[in-house]
Amino acid sequence: MYAIWVKIDETLPWIELSGKYQTEKEARKMAKELLSKIRIRIVKVEKERRQMKAVVTVKR
């Protein structure tokens, strides 16, 4: 069984994409297909960042 892992850059960890494949060839084919469908969004960042509010809190 094979899985597909991607790494965007050195600051981010490896990310495992969903799905398991029987052969390495099948995994490579699916990786190429998934990468051809990737969406990229570029956003403007303010020079002075405001503190973001927490959207989710965890209670123990």
Side-chain angles (χ1 to χ4, degrees):
M1 294 296 272
Y2 293 88
I4 300 171
W5 287 57
V6 295
K7 185 159 180 92
I8 306 300
D9 67 15
E10 294 302 316
T11 62
L12 297 171
W14 284 95
I15 302 167
E16 183 176 348
L17 302 180
S18 62
K20 301 286 186 239
Y21 306 95
Q22 294 293 323
T23 65
E24 184 177 350
K25 184 177 180 180
E26 182 182 352
R28 285 187 185 279
K29 180 180 175 185
M30 184 54 74
K32 286 181 182 182
E33 184 178 318
L34 290 170
L35 291 174
S36 70
K37 295 178 183 179
I38 195 168
R39 293 175 54 199
I40 298 172
R41 180 176 290 166
I42 299 174
V43 296
K44 184 176 180 179
V45 178
E46 297 177 17
K47 288 183 181 179
E48 187 176 312
R49 289 187 161 192
R50 293 178 287 191
Q51 185 68 26
M52 304 242 349
K53 295 181 181 177
V55 176
V56 177
T57 57
V58 178
K59 294 183 181 181
R60 292 183 183 212

